[in-house]
Amino acid sequence: MIKIRPLLSVLVNYRQLLVRNGFKLCTMSEESTDQQTAKLLKRSNEENEDSAERATKRVKAEGEHTEDDKKYPKKKVVLLLAYSGKGYYGMQRNPGNSQFRTIEDGLVIALVKSGCIPENHGDDMKKMSFQRCARTDKGVSAAGQVVSLKIRLIENIIEKINEHLPPQIRVLGLKRVTQGFNSKNNCDARTYSYMLPTVAFSPKDYDTENIAAFRLEPETLQKVNQLFTHYKGTHNFHNFTSQKAPSDPSARRYITEMSCGEPFVRNTWEFAVITVRGQSFMLHQIRKMIGLVIAVIKGYAKEQVIERSWGQEKVDVPKAPGLGLVLERVHFDRYNKRFGGDGLHERLEWDREEEAIKAFKEAHIYPTIIETECEEGSMVSWMSTLPIHDFEATVTETQDSKDQKQENADEGNNSD
């Protein structure tokens, strides 16, 4: 900081010397000079007072944090999260977009209020080394999301975090991990489920006014699962996301499992659950994989379109609604193999939490999907758009991609 007072003293003494020797100061009046001197002195005093106040506040804050950190030193952990995505703009926080409420917004507030992290860590999540396994999209739910971060291990930590969370977001488990653990980079695979009314697989001329009467035939279910086998293995999924060129290496994804389970009845409607496991997924990839199979089953597209979609040309692939998509669990096979048996770290498996996971799904995820589907009919509304798609032609920009660009602008999210 520039030292103002010594400089003022020199100027005043020099001015007095000039006056004593008979020099006339015509650049400014005596009153003007005195006013300027007073202003500079006042500014100097205010700056010094502000600096002292800021320093006091900083020392006080640092002292408080040091005391908390001594009592509860920060440790690297993972949290097992479950949430219903309805009403949220996905998992990942969007700084500066407070109107777009995300799951992480709620989690960070709870971490601060419970005392697990300092308040300033909530503004900059890098300070707590925060990372999530999957950036679930708008409206997508999770039963087994995992995040890694550094927090203070306070007493009854899970209960205290949950006290500050809404009922549709819950921390179900916590485990200590290695200092360098990153939940995204250490994740080997992700398993998603997709719950849908089986009327999605009805013939194109079926009367959708009578959804409750529809029942999926075993032969149709067998055909659905036969189509899903096309996706297994490594393929170029550039047609199953937005804004990725065929030459982009990141469009190649590895799928290990995809199948549809036996139907069941809820609220008089018949539903089924599709399960898909892969190394990782791109924006809307799962929804488009399901959407294309539905289009084939209903007779809007030929089976060959799936194989054609791996090629260089742009294929018009419909995107199924997001309502039924759920992140079921994430897998850490390599980490478990390396550290799970070292006697210091736990395996990242959640057998003890299975009952809590199941209870949360039954209380918050399944009812939301079923009730919303029955009330709003998102699948039936989407099915009415299938005739618009041209599955034979090579397209430059479909209505679906135009809609997606608008969604990206609105949501600020970019991954399932």
Side-chain angles (χ1 to χ4, degrees):
M1 181 183 292
I2 299 174
K3 303 296 185 182
I4 296 177
R5 287 184 175 177
L7 180 60
L8 286 173
S9 178
V10 171
L11 289 173
V12 171
N13 292 337
Y14 182 63
R15 175 179 173 276
Q16 291 172 347
L17 178 64
L18 290 175
V19 171
R20 284 199 300 269
N21 286 290
F23 287 95
K24 184 177 180 180
L25 301 178
C26 57
T27 55
M28 61 177 69
S29 65
E30 291 284 334
E31 182 180 1
S32 175
T33 304
D34 291 340
Q35 288 175 347
Q36 293 295 326
T37 302
K39 286 180 180 178
L40 287 171
L41 286 171
K42 182 180 179 183
R43 185 183 304 164
S44 174
N45 288 333
E46 289 175 348
E47 289 178 354
N48 287 336
E49 289 172 2
D50 288 344
S51 298
E53 185 178 354
R54 285 195 297 268
T56 301
K57 286 182 178 179
R58 184 172 64 251
V59 170
K60 184 180 178 183
E62 288 174 353
E64 289 174 353
H65 291 161
T66 301
E67 187 176 330
D68 287 339
D69 291 340
K70 283 181 179 177
K71 188 176 180 181
Y72 303 111
K74 296 188 189 74
K75 301 295 182 182
K76 193 67 169 288
V77 303
V78 293
L79 299 178
L80 174 67
L81 294 181
Y83 51 84
S84 171
K86 186 177 182 180
Y88 287 88
Y89 282 79
M91 172 69 183
Q92 188 174 8
R93 205 173 191 197
N94 298 310
N97 289 325
S98 58
Q99 70 271 32
F100 297 133
R101 186 178 60 154
T102 69
I103 300 298
E104 285 178 14
D105 287 327
L107 177 61
V108 168
I109 290 171
L111 290 172
V112 172
K113 287 184 175 180
S114 63
C116 290
I117 60 171
E119 189 169 354
N120 64 342
H121 282 31
D123 299 325
D124 184 0
M125 298 175 76
K126 291 181 181 177
K127 290 181 179 179
M128 55 176 162
S129 303
F130 188 93
Q131 188 58 263
R132 85 287 299 166
C133 274
R135 295 180 291 182
T136 52
D137 195 21
K138 177 184 176 182
V140 176
S141 299
Q145 172 74 281
V146 170
V147 301
S148 57
L149 70 164
K150 290 181 180 178
I151 58 175
R152 300 172 181 143
L153 292 177
I154 62 176
E155 289 94 350
N156 302 316
I157 184 169
I158 293 179
E159 291 81 0
K160 287 182 179 178
I161 296 173
N162 284 332
E163 283 177 7
H164 301 286
L165 286 171
Q168 69 187 95
I169 305 175
R170 276 291 173 266
V171 175
L172 301 181
L174 180 150
K175 290 181 187 287
R176 289 279 303 276
V177 289
T178 58
Q179 195 67 16
F181 183 87
N182 179 305
S183 59
K184 180 182 178 182
N185 296 340
N186 286 100
C187 182
D188 302 304
R190 297 149 178 89
T191 296
Y192 281 84
S193 68
Y194 187 88
M195 180 184 285
L196 79 172
T198 58
V199 72
F201 299 123
S202 63
K204 65 170 70 175
D205 57 354
Y206 183 80
D207 180 10
T208 54
E209 295 295 322
N210 195 19
I211 297 175
F214 182 80
R215 295 294 181 264
L216 185 64
E217 296 292 335
E219 295 79 11
T220 306
L221 178 60
Q222 186 178 359
K223 178 65 176 177
V224 168
N225 282 321
Q226 182 263 317
L227 291 173
F228 281 148
T229 61
H230 286 285
Y231 292 125
K232 293 182 181 179
T234 301
H235 301 287
N236 187 339
F237 283 95
H238 71 96
N239 274 308
F240 294 80
T241 188
S242 62
Q243 302 174 351
K244 275 200 186 294
S247 57
D248 190 335
S250 67
R252 294 186 67 81
R253 300 292 164 122
Y254 178 51
I255 308 299
T256 58
E257 175 189 341
M258 192 165 190
S259 62
C260 182
E262 291 294 326
F264 56 91
V265 176
R266 293 283 183 93
N267 291 9
T268 73
W269 285 25
E270 187 179 69
F271 287 84
V273 174
I274 297 164
T275 302
V276 54
R277 172 172 170 163
Q279 196 170 29
S280 59
F281 298 94
M282 297 178 291
L283 172 66
H284 297 153
Q285 179 185 338
I286 296 172
R287 291 164 61 185
K288 282 178 171 280
M289 292 164 69
I290 293 169
L292 190 55
V293 166
I294 291 174
V296 173
I297 288 292
K298 296 182 76 67
Y300 291 105
K302 297 177 181 178
E303 184 174 343
Q304 291 75 13
V305 71
I306 299 177
E307 298 293 334
R308 187 160 62 90
S309 69
W310 314 140
Q312 297 293 303
E313 64 184 35
K314 184 68 178 175
V315 176
D316 187 0
V317 178
K319 178 183 64 183
L323 175 63
L325 191 60
V326 179
L327 175 62
E328 287 288 342
R329 70 177 61 231
V330 289
H331 307 270
F332 301 98
D333 298 335
R334 285 177 297 173
Y335 176 88
N336 288 339
K337 186 176 181 180
R338 183 175 179 184
F339 296 105
D342 65 1
L344 299 173
H345 303 94
E346 294 181 85
R347 294 176 64 84
L348 294 186
E349 296 171 345
W350 307 98
D351 296 339
R352 286 176 294 180
E353 289 76 17
E354 279 299 331
E355 286 302 316
I357 293 171
K358 182 179 179 182
F360 185 88
K361 288 195 289 187
E362 292 290 343
H364 296 282
I365 296 179
Y366 294 156
T368 298
I369 293 173
I370 293 166
E371 290 168 14
T372 304
E373 186 62 58
C374 292
E375 291 171 8
E376 301 178 5
S378 61
M379 179 58 73
V380 172
S381 297
W382 171 79
M383 284 158 53
S384 67
T385 68
L386 286 174
I388 301 172
H389 294 269
D390 187 346
F391 298 98
E392 299 297 328
T394 299
V395 295
T396 54
E397 182 178 43
T398 65
Q399 183 61 46
D400 185 59
S401 64
K402 291 177 184 176
D403 292 342
Q404 179 52 47
K405 287 180 182 178
Q406 183 60 47
E407 278 187 25
N408 287 344
D410 290 344
E411 296 172 23
N413 253 321
N414 61 355
S415 180
D416 272 340

